[in-house]
Amino acid sequence: MARRRDEVPEEEDQEMEEELVPLQFDEPLSWRAGKPIATGELLRRLEKLSKELVDMDQETVDKDSLAPVAKELASPNLLGHREAGVKAFAAACLVDILKLCAPEAPFTPKQLKEIFSLFVKTILPALWDPSNAYNTQHKYVLTSLAEVKSILLINEVTNAEELLLHLFSSFFDGISGSSKAASGEQVAKDVEFHMTDILVTLVEESPSLPPPVLDVIMAQFLRAAPPGGRREKADANGKQTTLLPKEEPEAYVMAKTVCNSCPEKMARYVGQYFSEVIMDVSGNSGHANGHRDDNGSDDDDGTGGPSDAEFRELRKAHQLLRELWRAAPTVLPNVIPQVDAELSADNIQLRLLATETLGDMIAGIGAAGPPPPPELDPAAYPPLKLSDEIPDHPATSILTTPISPLSFTQTHPQAFHNFVGRRNDKSPLIRTAWTTAVGYIVSTSAGGIGLSREDESVFVTGLRDKLNDNDEKVRLAAVKAIETFSFRDIITKLAMAGGVNKEGSVLFTLADRCRDKRPSIRVEAMALIGKLWAVGSGELAAGQESVISALSGIPSRIFNTFYANDLELNVLLERVVFECLIPLSFPPPPKTKGSKPSNGNSQSQSATDPAYDQDRIRAERILLLVKDLDSHAIKAFNALQARQPQFSKVLENLVRQCDAFNGGNPEGNADRINQNLKKTIQYLCQFLPDAVKVEADLHNFANWHDRRCYQLIRFVVSAESDFKTMHRAVKEFVKRVQGSPKPHMLETLLPLIYRSAYIVLNKSHLATYMDCSKSDKDGLGAAAHQITTEISQNNPDLFKTHVGQLCKDLVDGAPTADKPNETSMVETLKACSSYSKKYPKELPDDRKFTQALISYSLHGEPAKAAKYAVNVMMARKDDKSMVSATDLLQRIMKGWSYDSPHFSTKLAAVSQLELLASKVTADANDKITDIALEDVLFKVRTDAKESDPEWVADSDLDEEGQVKCWALKLVINRLRGTQDLDEAKELAKPVFKLLRNILKQSGELCKVKDTPKHHKARLRLLAGQLFLKLCTLKHFEEIFSHSDYNQLAFLTQDPSAMVRRLFIEKLQKYLVQNKLRPRFYTMIFLTAFEPDTSFKSQIETWIRSRARFFREAKQNVMEATMGRLISLLAHHPDYSTEVDDLVDHARYLLYYISNVTTEANFGIIFKYAERVKQTRDGINPVESERLYVVSDLAQNLLRKWQDKKNWIFQAYAGKVGLPMGLYTALPSHDVAQEIAAKQYLPEGLEEQLDDLLRSVDKKKKRRTADDRTEGQPAQKKVRTTVPKPSTKVKTPKAAKTSSKRPAVKSTKTSSRSRKAPTSSPAPDSADRRRSGRSKKNSSYIERDSSEDDEDMLDGVAEWDYYDNNGDRIQNDDPDSSELSEPEDEEEEPAPAEENEEAEAPEDEESELSDLEEDQEEEPAPQSPPPKSNGRKRAAAASSPKTKSLPSRPAIKASASKGKSVASKANAKSPPKARATSTRSTRSRRAAIEEQDDSE
């Protein structure tokens, strides 16, 4: 029936009835059982009905006429027909009926259920096959349901949840392709659109959404997860993401559209969905007690944590949350607070999961995981530029691209704040996750939405702090977090607060991790910064300021790890240098047209240029590296290059031994061959970590017996191989070893290859080095000079092919009286000078070349050119060179005066002639000396001013200052060049007096006029350095008096910082090279008050390194220094018995103790300090009491240090002696007893010393892992302390000396606090240098032969005491009253330096020499301490072994028969000291020296 309205007039009703259009179709569609309608006929009728229904309009149709057809269409005969076409047309008709009859459907509930079952289960799923014959009808059904929204009638069906679930599932599965037809045709976009529209309608209009349906929707977002379901952190390497689609899956997009179209409803549904998972699991994990304090998290997992199954569900929910934030963040407002609450859970796993989830959400990282890390290719050419577009990673996917549609910081500020607070969580797992997340947040700019400047600063600061975290996992995570940044992001984000050189910046802290105690961290950190520098090398070379400030300090930070004395770190350093900074594969081979550039940049097409010179490009990269090195790093770089020739010889020798070994079947003398191989392998073991593995690997290599590998190694270590040959040999060698039966050998062989190969100093690069040194291209001239000098000193063989060109350049650039030479010629002369020492016969000797050298000697600028020219000229040492020297001297002496042209150049030339051709200068010596002294040194031509600087750089030093330096060198060279020893010793007296006066008078030599301050500073420094140089020669060292020694030692406290530094560096160089006797180590301890903290820290590191070196060599060099240090301090100008002054002296002693003393050597050091009170001052016997005061002070400090360290005191039972000349015998036994019993320290000093040690504790200590290994006690240990004396005698004050050392205390009251020594060892190792030149002078190993023994016996080793009647007192106990004799057993000499041969000791010295160096006492092996049984000391003295004694007297009274003045305490024997570890540091002997001025 047509619809009627109650109040409508009758005329209108009649009019409307006339307008309604009834259905014309009147054919039957149903049938009785057994009489079905033919399928073809049925299809025709349904098609006819469908066409009519389509044309009808809802407003004009007569709905009553539709009722019969509707009933027939809903019959089971049609809905369940076996023919798909029948069901398709029936469905099309049904959707039209629903459209025309809307909003009331003319069907019963049962019929509706059957109809929608047909739609959902048959018609709509058929859409996945676009090739279906009835696809048009299927699409029509879909379109009608979507547009008319008749799909909503499904909610009126009983048990609609099942149909809804099937509908949603079929849509998502179908669109994703799981139900796609075999034809493979894609579903049309309009189908996808209408399906999405249907789902949106159902969600938006339905009163509720069944949970299973919501599960299906949520599951679509997990399609973004990688195959296998669960996202792992390992996906971050980019390997797993290669399986991900490049576009978002269709089902994912459909679910995303549904959520974003219905944000409010979906937010409610999603909130309920996650509540069921998160809150249920969180409730089982302990109390989520609000927002915990930042530091309030515990490390325990809690007792009631979630089960494994619950936690898997929770992890899946959090994974879904990540993806929902990327796709539809508006549905999560009710969920974020729940995750925020998890941040405060007691359970660590929940906090960890919440931290990871929130971090990924802020960074826009979804279920697919983080984006692949950017590629930093150090071998790419041309290098990357900041302006270059970053190429897409090959594994890039839309699902791993960080996307954050909303700003998390603005939409959820509280959760963001709480996330930031997790950086201080007590659990390292949480801090690790936080650090990883922060890396992605900053590198992705919070998923591309951007971070405020304040938030970014907070995260960058947090990242820096985590690099210093006390947990290694956090530090490693911080390093890896920085790896997620692209090159541009590192410069623009991390480096904004400062680069590698700015302390406190992220990059500075990252560089610190190169020395981390954990290998995994330092490997990652050093490799990362090495790649950063290599990638940025193009911008560095181009002068890009932001890149220079950020990265230029990286090479220095890497090479400075050389000083850590860590074998494992040395191997890492070399690998980073040759695999990251200057990789062997850089630059890549020339590209062919159409090949992909190495860095993804089209600019790489320049590589096809025929001018593409790989050797030049690589050499310029090396020069850029050297240019960026600081002074310490350049020494380390030079040291690495200096040892390369030695290692190449050793490796070549190993190949010979392996070849002779013949794979275990040697031919010939098998025992000798095996022994030689074993010795070679053992020698190499000391330079690599894990000696056991190294030995096994090298034996395996020998047994493998691959002759091709032997040949490849010969190519690698040959100076004749060009770089390409060497590189190919290395690549083939690596490949062969990797394919060998034991490929792990490569871990040992590759470091040896890197150390031995001609990589940096290769002949292929030499032409570029020489060109840059001349042209200073791109500012690389200084670096090129540095490398060419290095080659000339350590690899002169490389110059063989270029020496002719060098000499030709010298001839062409020779100066004249009117034309100066180019500055670059000085470096060329220096290179030739070094080369001529090894190959003097290979330089030309023609007249043209000789005249050029004479020209440089007469007119060269600067004056150093003359020095090198004379060296080259005299290299042959033949008659022709002597003739040339005579000719040169005659030219110089003609009209030679201070005012003559090129006076300084001629002075330098004469100075070198005095050294190398003393016979030539013999007749002119008087005139030469008169000019040097009277006209130069003793006269002042420049007026001194108050405004004069204390020091000026070499380049700024005026002419007169330079001339004075050359004049002083001339005087010393005359002495050094004198061949006759007796004549030399006689001539040394006035020379020593001259140097002594310079030191005493602070550089002032003129009696009538003041010398400018910077001239005096230069003269003081030079006098000190020349004193050291003379003392490297034995015959001069013998006449170097103790008073001169003390005067020289005080130069370490010179008022000028540069004088102190340069003198100490020269002293360290000579000591490391073994050119000076061990007594010179004492001087270094006067640096306790060095005001330059960084320099002082370097000195302390050097001291500790040398102390460790001598301990490993079983030599007591540093321990015996205590006896000399006491004498030096007793004669210090600042000595006084005032308490404050003694505290200052205590600082010197504490400086020594803190850097030298260990638990193992404590006994012998204490004995040296104790022995001093059994002697008299040999320099000034009247002032002997000074020695006793300092001795008591040293013993007191040692006892306090022992208490502080909780060490067991083990008395040293061996013999120790003191240097003859510094100490003499006491007059009688009674005097010895009186001195031993008396305490010389004033009252009030004890408390001051306690305060001094407490101040040491307050200093921040940075120790390396092996620092003070021998001295680390167990936490609880029974102590045997040295008892304090029972009597204390106050000593009257001594008169205070007036002279003060300015460097020590300029103003006592104001500088008191600054003089506190920094007690801490630093992680750096010794700043040692090694000489690459051959040694002409004698090299003294630590004296361990009969010369010291005889000195001791002839001197104060045996003393006789006499009573008041003059009768000799018989002493039965030799140990109670005499300085001990040296041990009978001769000490094993120290191992030779890598490039030096240890020479035998010289003949016996006179009594003026030092009496005893401490290699005389070999430390006895550790033995179990004997029980305290009251045996007399005489018995104890008979045993040379170290033993643990009961509490022993503080002052050993020299009473006869072993009786002590102080009472002996009865105590239990202390437990045996625990074993100590000794780590080899022999691989780091010294850094390479600068060119010695004497050469």
Side-chain angles (χ1 to χ4, degrees), residues 1141-1347:
D1141 291 314
L1142 287 180
V1143 170
D1144 286 341
H1145 269 45
R1147 294 184 191 276
Y1148 292 113
L1149 293 166
L1150 191 58
Y1151 185 63
Y1152 168 88
I1153 293 169
S1154 64
N1155 288 299
V1156 175
T1157 308
T1158 67
E1159 188 172 13
N1161 67 11
F1162 181 84
I1164 186 173
I1165 291 176
F1166 189 88
K1167 190 160 188 175
Y1168 271 111
E1170 193 179 43
R1171 281 294 186 186
V1172 171
K1173 291 188 70 173
Q1174 300 175 3
T1175 64
R1176 193 166 54 169
D1177 195 339
I1179 299 176
N1180 188 0
V1182 178
E1183 300 289 346
S1184 294
E1185 189 170 300
R1186 291 184 170 199
L1187 291 177
Y1188 310 147
V1189 173
V1190 181
S1191 173
D1192 277 348
L1193 184 61
Q1195 293 177 60
N1196 193 309
L1197 279 172
L1198 284 167
R1199 285 193 296 269
K1200 292 181 182 297
W1201 190 259
Q1202 179 206 356
D1203 291 340
K1204 178 176 178 290
K1205 292 291 186 179
N1206 196 27
W1207 285 345
I1208 295 176
F1209 177 71
Q1210 292 182 327
Y1212 185 77
K1215 307 290 185 180
V1216 297
L1218 296 175
M1220 184 178 179
L1222 288 182
Y1223 300 96
T1224 59
L1226 292 171
S1228 70
H1229 184 67
D1230 293 337
V1231 173
Q1233 274 194 313
E1234 180 183 350
I1235 293 172
K1238 183 177 179 181
Q1239 270 290 308
Y1240 289 86
L1241 297 181
E1243 292 182 358
L1245 182 61
E1246 190 81 15
E1247 294 77 11
Q1248 296 269 19
L1249 295 181
D1250 290 336
D1251 292 342
L1252 177 61
L1253 263 76
R1254 278 193 292 271
S1255 70
V1256 169
D1257 288 333
K1258 295 177 183 178
K1259 302 291 182 182
K1260 183 178 179 182
K1261 300 179 181 181
R1262 298 175 63 199
R1263 301 180 185 274
T1264 53
D1266 63 332
D1267 185 33
R1268 222 67 49 81
T1269 306
E1270 297 89 340
Q1272 297 299 327
Q1275 288 191 352
K1276 293 184 179 179
K1277 185 158 58 174
V1278 178
R1279 291 185 297 151
T1280 304
T1281 59
V1282 183
K1284 297 180 181 179
S1286 56
T1287 59
K1288 198 170 188 179
V1289 180
K1290 185 175 181 180
T1291 308
K1293 292 182 182 179
K1296 192 170 182 179
T1297 54
S1298 59
S1299 62
K1300 302 286 180 185
R1301 309 306 302 174
V1304 182
K1305 300 180 282 188
S1306 56
T1307 56
K1308 237 177 216 187
T1309 55
S1310 62
S1311 63
R1312 182 78 59 203
S1313 61
R1314 286 177 295 173
K1315 291 188 281 187
T1318 34
S1319 64
S1320 54
D1324 296 19
S1325 199
D1327 181 12
R1328 293 175 278 177
R1329 305 172 198 48
R1330 175 176 59 199
S1331 173
R1333 63 191 179 91
S1334 58
K1335 298 192 303 178
K1336 296 179 181 178
N1337 301 333
S1338 300
S1339 174
Y1340 304 110
I1341 30 180
E1342 309 304 336
R1343 299 202 307 163
D1344 57 352
S1345 60
S1346 59
E1347 59 175 325

Side-chain angles (χ1 to χ4, degrees), residues 940-944 1004 1006-1011:
V940 175
R941 292 173 171 81
T942 303
D943 294 332
E1004 183 62 79
C1006 182
K1007 298 181 180 179
V1008 296
K1009 192 175 181 181
D1010 290 339
T1011 304

Side-chain angles (χ1 to χ4, degrees), residues 549-569:
S549 63
L551 306 180
S552 63
I554 285 178
S556 295
R557 299 299 298 275
I558 290 177
F559 276 95
N560 281 331
T561 60
F562 181 80
Y563 297 107
N565 274 348
D566 185 283
L567 297 180
E568 195 171 332
L569 196 53

Side-chain angles (χ1 to χ4, degrees), residues 382-387 487 533-549 603 620 624 627-628 777-780:
L384 201 63
K385 295 183 179 179
L386 284 178
S387 58
F487 172 67
W533 183 88
V535 171
S537 60
E539 295 287 44
L540 289 169
Q544 219 287 338
E545 287 298 328
S546 60
V547 179
I548 291 175
S549 63
Q603 292 179 3
E620 288 177 356
L624 182 64
K627 178 184 176 183
D628 283 347
K777 177 187 176 184
D778 297 329
L780 300 176

Side-chain angles (χ1 to χ4, degrees), residues 1132-1145:
H1132 196 284
D1134 289 345
Y1135 173 82
S1136 167
T1137 53
E1138 294 283 348
V1139 171
D1140 288 344
D1141 291 314
L1142 287 180
V1143 170
D1144 286 341
H1145 269 45

Side-chain angles (χ1 to χ4, degrees), residues 1-244:
M1 293 178 60
R3 288 183 295 178
R4 298 179 181 276
R5 302 193 181 212
D6 295 340
E7 300 179 359
V8 175
E10 185 176 347
E11 292 80 9
E12 286 191 20
D13 287 343
Q14 293 175 353
E15 186 176 346
M16 290 180 63
E17 286 180 2
E18 292 174 357
E19 292 179 358
L20 292 178
V21 179
L23 180 67
Q24 299 299 320
F25 180 82
D26 57 357
E27 298 182 53
L29 296 175
S30 62
W31 59 89
R32 292 193 302 273
K35 294 183 178 181
I37 302 173
T39 303
E41 177 62 21
L42 186 59
L43 284 173
R44 185 192 64 76
R45 294 177 186 178
L46 288 171
E47 185 176 2
K48 179 181 177 183
L49 174 62
S50 176
K51 289 180 179 178
E52 185 177 355
L53 289 173
V54 167
D55 294 334
M56 299 185 77
D57 185 77
Q58 183 184 12
E59 298 296 329
T60 61
V61 68
D62 183 358
K63 294 182 180 180
D64 290 339
S65 65
L66 299 178
V69 174
K71 182 178 179 181
E72 287 185 307
L73 287 172
S75 67
N77 290 338
L78 291 180
L79 297 180
H81 201 282
R82 67 176 182 271
E83 173 60 38
V86 172
K87 289 188 282 190
F89 277 106
C93 294
L94 283 170
V95 293
D96 282 337
I97 295 294
L98 291 174
K99 177 182 70 172
L100 295 173
C101 296
E104 300 296 333
F107 301 109
T108 64
K110 183 178 179 181
Q111 289 174 329
L112 271 179
K113 183 174 182 180
E114 295 299 327
I115 291 171
F116 276 98
S117 295
L118 173 66
F119 292 164
V120 171
K121 296 181 180 180
T122 303
I123 303 302
L124 296 179
L127 286 165
W128 311 136
D129 182 9
S131 61
N132 191 294
Y134 302 102
N135 188 58
T136 303
Q137 285 70 36
H138 298 157
K139 290 178 67 174
Y140 182 78
V141 173
L142 173 69
T143 304
S144 179
L145 289 174
E147 292 178 351
V148 182
K149 296 188 178 181
S150 51
I151 190 65
L152 291 174
L153 291 173
I154 198 172
N155 292 316
E156 300 178 9
V157 174
T158 57
N159 199 15
E161 180 178 323
E162 179 186 353
L163 288 176
L164 284 172
L165 180 60
H166 195 284
L167 175 67
F168 276 79
S169 299
S170 65
F171 275 14
F172 288 129
D173 290 342
I175 202 66
S176 66
S178 59
S179 302
K180 193 177 297 182
S183 64
E185 292 185 48
Q186 294 291 329
V187 176
K189 286 297 179 182
D190 60 335
V191 173
E192 183 178 342
F193 171 78
H194 288 305
M195 285 182 174
T196 305
D197 196 19
I198 286 175
L199 298 185
V200 170
T201 300
L202 286 171
V203 173
E204 185 69 34
E205 301 294 339
S206 298
S208 64
L209 199 63
V213 174
L214 182 62
D215 288 346
V216 171
I217 298 175
M218 295 295 99
Q220 307 316 307
F221 292 101
L222 294 180
R223 292 181 184 274
R230 181 178 171 185
R231 186 191 80 153
E232 298 290 348
K233 288 297 179 185
D235 297 347
N237 61 11
K239 295 179 181 177
Q240 186 66 52
T241 55
T242 58
L243 302 176
L244 293 172

